[in-house]
Amino acid sequence: MKKKVFIIGSGFSSLSAACYLSKSGYDVHVFEKNDMLGGRASQFKAEGFTFDMGPSWYWMPDVFERFFNDFGKSAKDFYKMKKLNPAYRVIFDKNNQIQIGDNIDNISDQFEKIEKGSGKKLKIFLKESKENYELAVTNMLYKMPGRSILELINSQTILKVNLFFSNIKKDIEKRFKDSRLRSVLQFPVLFLGAKPSKTPAFYNFMNYADFGLGTWQPKNGFYDVVMAMISIAKENGVSFNNNAEVDKIEIKNKKVKGIHVNGEFKECDIIISGADYHHTESLIDVKFRQYSESYWNNRTWSPSSLLFYIGLNKKLNNLNHHNLFFDTDFDKHADEIYTSPKWPTDPLFYLNITSKTYEHTAPKGHENCFILIPISTNLKDSEALREKYFKIVLDRIKKVTGNEIKKNIVYKRSFCVSDFKETYNSFGGNAYGLANTLMQTALLRPKLQSKKVKKLYFSGQLTVPGPGVPPAIVSGKLVSDMIINNERAF
Ligand SMILES: Cc1cc2nc3c(=O)[nH]c(=O)nc-3n(C[C@H](O)[C@H](O)[C@H](O)COP(=O)(O)OP(=O)(O)OC[C@H]3O[C@@H](n4cnc5c(N)ncnc54)[C@H](O)[C@@H]3O)c2cc1C
């Protein structure tokens, strides 16, 4: 008889695990607390606008492609995509902006215009960054379930050991003088959830992901990827249960027995939870938990976010699909996120306009906007605070780009710390899990397999490899491989 696997949550790691395990002959059932599948990558439609709720930067297309190839498919079998050119715009002030092109030659030329000699230096930096990408992503990522230090050590990484003990900020400041170029090059590590000064220099492979592999956009947004993965899972017999919040994991003789969901007990052989790790451990008795409250409180969390989904009844000028407003002091904002957590004084923010690339995401003549302000986790949020920051952001957009939008808002929804907690059971309202600092890399991250309960597994952005959609997809594969190997051994 097929072994029955229950998966808690339907984020990318859960969908990935569901696909791999069902293909390997397991009887897989997914339980998602919300109405919509996809976890933090949910989508909603309102007043003719289609909004992605979470991820919007489609980076590392090779990781997506490798996933689809494992099922005899390609991303293009499911969705259309465009490579963005410009990939994004970085705004320092009204007359001081950089638009990042879609290839290294073009970007080097732009660098050269800003700082003499930096074009050549960029090419050297990206050559190293590409080597690290090939080492880390293409070779190691899929072989690192985070069990032992030995996973990190091989003939190539040993030569790069210094890059684990230096940080990105130092590495970039050594090579480039212009503060704008430094900011642009430090931006990609923000996806890893920590400050550049706390992120090992080895992670500069994100710069190759950015400039070398480019920024892509699926035609109907990130939800195209969710739909594609659901379709593969269904083809392999996975059942999906939405509005199904698991409220207890039953354990007998130190082994999982089943789950309690919507007032019913359901029995199974194996459980994977792709829900936030801390929340999953709250579903089991204290004696079976692996990590204490102080462990979780002392982690470096990725930021939470204040988000606004906005529909406008006019087109915006002087803006691209992705726009980074780096017109204030980044270090101060970073300190207010990580060092002395509080609502930011003068935050950097990100403005996404999907209708600049795909007009059908908004009604004709309208614009589909999404604003993200990174903030510390665990902040108390209120309607008044959200409004205060909304006004700050609108004023800055007007001042720096000349676009007045206050009177053109035909749809608006906000999402913040309390929504992250309530909607996803997120610890402290984190947006994308645990940061990839040196002390939270590989085997130092929460484990994929419980040491205290047999057949209980974890996946997702709090585990290995870390935050972001591509790592979440890899995490689903790593946990599936682990289960398949463990079950073979029995
Ligand atoms: C605003 C935002 C912007 C982002 N931008 C990007 C980006 O541009 N590019 C990128 O690559 N990544 C981005 N990310 C990160 C990326 O979205 C995540 O890393 C990834 O989607 C996480 O997937 P996951 O599998 O870990 O789980 P999640 O997506 O967190 O899914 C966990 C699921 O478990 C469910 N759940 C919780 N408790 C229970 C329960 N008791 N019973 C049943 N279900 C439960 C939750 O409802 C949720 O659906 C962004 C994230 C956010 C929030």
Side-chain angles (χ1 to χ4, degrees):
M1 213 170 71
K2 282 183 171 185
K3 293 224 166 99
K4 194 178 261 191
V5 182
F6 285 173
I7 301 185
I8 304 174
S10 65
F12 279 112
S13 67
S14 298
L15 294 176
S16 163
C19 292
Y20 283 110
L21 287 174
S22 56
K23 185 180 163 230
S24 302
Y26 289 82
D27 175 21
V28 180
H29 303 261
V30 173
F31 296 86
E32 166 57 52
K33 87 181 262 285
N34 294 320
D35 190 30
M36 179 162 256
L37 303 174
R40 281 159 162 91
S42 295
Q43 184 182 72
F44 72 95
K45 293 179 197 269
E47 314 283 338
F49 299 92
T50 305
F51 295 103
D52 272 328
M53 293 191 72
S56 57
W57 296 79
Y58 189 106
W59 275 11
M60 303 162 81
D62 52 329
V63 173
F64 293 85
E65 195 54 22
R66 187 160 167 173
F67 169 82
F68 290 117
N69 290 171
D70 284 346
F71 298 88
K73 317 257 190 208
S74 164
K76 66 177 180 312
D77 295 332
F78 296 96
Y79 48 90
K80 288 206 169 84
M81 277 204 296
K82 276 186 193 163
K83 188 177 190 188
L84 302 185
N85 187 19
Y88 54 95
R89 181 190 287 249
V90 189
I91 299 168
F92 299 100
D93 64 46
K94 192 170 180 184
N95 303 313
N96 196 353
Q97 310 191 1
I98 300 179
Q99 297 194 61
I100 300 297
D102 70 345
N103 67 75
I104 292 174
D105 284 336
N106 172 305
I107 301 168
S108 302
D109 291 346
Q110 285 173 279
F111 268 53
E112 190 58 34
K113 280 184 201 145
I114 294 171
E115 179 183 315
K116 205 169 161 15
S118 66
K120 198 168 162 206
K121 283 188 201 156
L122 180 69
K123 286 194 172 166
I124 294 167
F125 176 59
L126 289 177
K127 193 167 166 282
E128 288 171 31
S129 155
K130 182 175 187 228
E131 275 169 28
N132 291 346
Y133 189 89
E134 280 162 3
L135 178 58
V137 181
T138 318
N139 297 315
M140 288 170 66
L141 210 60
Y142 293 86
K143 298 176 199 146
M144 289 185 18
R147 281 179 165 146
S148 133
I149 184 85
L150 297 176
E151 292 166 14
L152 280 173
I153 301 172
N154 62 38
S155 57
Q156 286 166 296
T157 51
I158 217 89
L159 299 173
K160 291 183 181 276
V161 76
N162 59 323
L163 293 184
F164 285 95
F165 296 99
S166 174
N167 66 63
I168 295 256
K169 186 171 160 65
K170 243 193 229 161
D171 186 28
I172 286 169
E173 289 184 353
K174 221 168 44 196
R175 299 168 193 255
F176 302 91
K177 297 276 167 287
D178 187 274
S179 62
R180 291 161 299 173
L181 299 185
R182 286 175 170 182
S183 298
V184 167
L185 288 167
Q186 288 179 45
F187 152 66
V189 299
L190 300 183
F191 284 106
L192 303 171
K195 290 202 282 195
S197 59
K198 296 281 177 205
T199 307
F202 183 69
Y203 283 102
N204 70 18
F205 62 72
M206 290 297 286
N207 291 102
Y208 177 70
D210 177 0
F211 291 173
L213 299 174
T215 303
W216 298 74
Q217 178 67 14
K219 187 172 175 191
N220 303 298
F222 245 94
Y223 211 68
D224 273 348
V225 189
V226 174
M227 297 289 282
M229 292 175 77
I230 292 173
S231 129
I232 292 177
K234 285 191 173 164
E235 230 172 71
N236 286 291
V238 175
S239 86
F240 285 94
N241 306 273
N242 39 3
N243 299 309
E245 177 160 14
V246 174
D247 38 46
K248 190 172 180 206
I249 295 175
E250 198 72 57
I251 294 163
K252 195 173 170 196
N253 300 330
K254 296 187 182 167
K255 177 174 170 297
V256 295
K257 189 165 173 359
I259 58 171
H260 292 266
V261 57
N262 290 339
E264 258 187 85
F265 173 67
K266 292 177 183 285
E267 219 165 313
C268 65
D269 301 299
I270 297 165
I271 294 176
I272 304 175
S273 178
D276 276 30
Y277 213 117
H278 173 271
H279 167 71
T280 306
E281 290 222 311
S282 76
L283 303 176
I284 56 182
D285 284 348
V286 177
K287 64 178 181 219
F288 294 123
R289 295 180 195 165
Q290 305 168 86
Y291 304 103
S292 65
E293 285 300 309
S294 74
Y295 170 87
W296 294 114
N297 285 326
N298 289 316
R299 296 303 89 192
T300 303
W301 290 91
S302 76
S304 183
S305 305
L306 170 54
L307 306 167
F308 296 101
Y309 309 97
I310 302 160
L312 297 179
N313 66 2
K314 74 166 186 183
K315 288 291 189 192
L316 297 177
N317 303 316
N318 310 321
L319 287 162
N320 301 111
H321 182 126
H322 296 289
N323 308 278
L324 301 169
F325 282 74
F326 280 13
D327 51 331
T328 55
D329 183 350
F330 172 70
D331 288 335
K332 184 163 195 297
H333 186 184
D335 280 346
E336 289 166 339
I337 294 174
Y338 299 102
T339 319
S340 329
K342 62 172 175 183
W343 278 90
T345 320
D346 215 358
L348 279 71
F349 66 94
Y350 157 57
L351 167 64
N352 169 292
I353 315 174
T354 50
S355 44
K356 288 276 179 227
T357 305
Y358 286 114
E359 291 205 350
H360 70 276
T361 59
K364 203 168 169 19
H366 289 52
E367 212 82 272
N368 176 324
C369 305
F370 160 67
I371 294 169
L372 185 157
I373 308 174
I375 53 172
S376 166
T377 51
N378 274 321
L379 294 180
K380 208 165 158 7
D381 83 273
S382 66
E383 204 45 46
L385 275 164
R386 294 182 189 198
E387 279 311 302
K388 173 183 158 185
Y389 283 90
F390 190 57
K391 185 173 176 319
I392 290 177
V393 163
L394 293 200
D395 288 348
R396 295 247 301 276
I397 293 174
K398 184 177 169 199
K399 184 174 151 216
V400 188
T401 70
N403 288 289
E404 164 80 85
I405 59 180
K406 213 168 18 201
K407 295 196 183 92
N408 300 89
I409 299 170
V410 292
Y411 180 80
K412 178 179 154 201
R413 175 179 171 187
S414 64
F415 199 93
C416 195
V417 179
S418 54
D419 300 297
F420 277 105
K421 289 183 184 173
E422 201 173 299
T423 312
Y424 307 121
N425 288 325
S426 146
F427 184 80
N430 77 79
Y432 44 100
L434 282 177
N436 270 109
T437 58
L438 178 63
M439 295 313 288
Q440 294 181 176
T441 287
L443 74 155
L444 300 174
R445 295 181 75 77
K447 299 283 179 239
L448 291 175
Q449 183 176 3
S450 169
K451 286 197 187 103
K452 295 196 174 176
V453 182
K454 288 189 201 114
K455 315 236 176 188
L456 175 60
Y457 297 86
F458 301 82
S459 67
Q461 57 185 359
L462 276 80
T463 65
V464 281
V469 176
I473 293 174
V474 174
S475 160
K477 175 161 172 51
L478 289 172
V479 78
S480 307
D481 288 348
M482 189 179 267
I483 291 173
I484 293 164
N485 282 332
N486 288 350
E487 294 297 310
R488 232 183 250 138
F490 275 102

